[in-house]
């Protein structure tokens, strides 16, 4: 197996994603949707653009995910004269229950993923991943400014 950091991150990401995806269908959620529910549960009602900015994804992709969440009763869009893209988005009770189920699945995945890691190693891994992210974002911002 190739041992580059890129390949190690890729493989770890896809393994955790496969673990988490197994629980999606039973909850009535699609790929990418749980993170939006988690954002709403943590931050309260917000705008679509706030989620797109936070997750660094295309606002149109967020809109599509929100459309599906709305159709399935997980969220409710607030009324706004400017249209659905600017209205506040709220979790419904069904959305809260789905979020709680997702959090249980996430906690189980993290326990499995970090089995055999000491508390110090867990903290180090979180620090390393955060620093790697910041380094890449800084480099991307520098490139965009040039």
């Amino acid at each position: 197996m190739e041992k580059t950091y890129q390949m190690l991150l890729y493989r770890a990401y896809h393994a955790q994603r496969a673990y988490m995806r197994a629980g999606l269908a039973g909850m009535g959620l699609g790929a990418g949707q749980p993170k939006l529910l988690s954002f709403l549960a943590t931050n309260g009602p917000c705008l679509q653009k706030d989620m797109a900015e936070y997750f660094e994804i295309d606002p149109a992709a967020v809109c599509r995910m929100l459309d599906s969440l709305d159709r399935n009763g997980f969220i409710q869009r607030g009324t706004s004269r400017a249209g659905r893209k600017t209205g506040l988005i709220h979790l419904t009770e069904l959305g809260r229950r789905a979020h709680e189920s997702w959090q249980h699945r996430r906690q189980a995945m993290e326990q499995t993923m970090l089995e055999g890691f000491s508390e110090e190693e867990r903290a180090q891994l979180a620090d390393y991943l955060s620093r790697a992210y910041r380094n890449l974002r800084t480099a991307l911002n520098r490139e965009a400014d040039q």
Side-chain angles (χ1 to χ4, degrees):
M1 178 173 87
E2 188 178 345
K3 298 271 185 183
T4 64
Y5 292 111
Q6 185 272 333
M7 187 54 67
L8 291 169
L9 283 170
Y10 174 84
R11 291 177 61 82
Y13 168 74
H14 281 282
Q16 73 86 28
R17 195 171 159 164
Y19 185 102
M20 296 303 289
R21 188 176 291 145
L24 280 177
M27 291 179 222
L29 296 171
Q33 293 177 344
K35 68 183 169 215
L36 300 181
L37 296 181
S38 292
F39 186 88
L40 289 167
T42 301
N43 299 292
C46 68
L47 300 173
Q48 173 183 319
K49 72 177 185 70
D50 296 333
M51 286 188 259
E53 288 171 6
Y54 180 80
F55 291 111
E56 300 174 1
I57 56 177
D58 178 49
V62 173
C63 186
R64 287 188 298 275
M65 286 187 274
L66 290 173
D67 285 345
S68 178
L69 288 169
D70 193 11
R71 270 192 311 276
N72 293 318
F74 294 106
I75 64 159
Q76 184 175 29
R77 289 183 164 116
T79 57
S80 169
R81 291 185 187 135
R84 69 180 182 182
K85 291 184 181 178
T86 58
L88 283 179
I89 299 154
H90 307 261
L91 270 181
T92 63
E93 185 55 37
L94 180 63
R96 274 187 266 293
R97 287 194 310 266
H99 170 338
E100 288 173 17
S101 294
W102 184 256
Q103 290 306 311
H104 292 297
R105 180 88 179 153
R106 181 198 51 80
Q107 289 167 347
M109 181 274 301
E110 288 180 1
Q111 275 302 114
T112 300
M113 179 179 75
L114 299 172
E115 190 173 314
F117 283 57
S118 70
E119 286 304 314
E120 181 181 348
E121 289 170 326
R122 289 171 185 228
Q124 286 175 332
L125 178 60
D127 181 58
Y128 296 155
L129 291 172
S130 294
R131 286 169 43 198
Y133 169 79
R134 282 192 310 269
N135 290 344
L136 289 169
R137 289 307 313 162
T138 299
L140 284 170
N141 290 339
R142 240 184 281 134
E143 288 178 10
D145 290 342
Q146 293 177 358

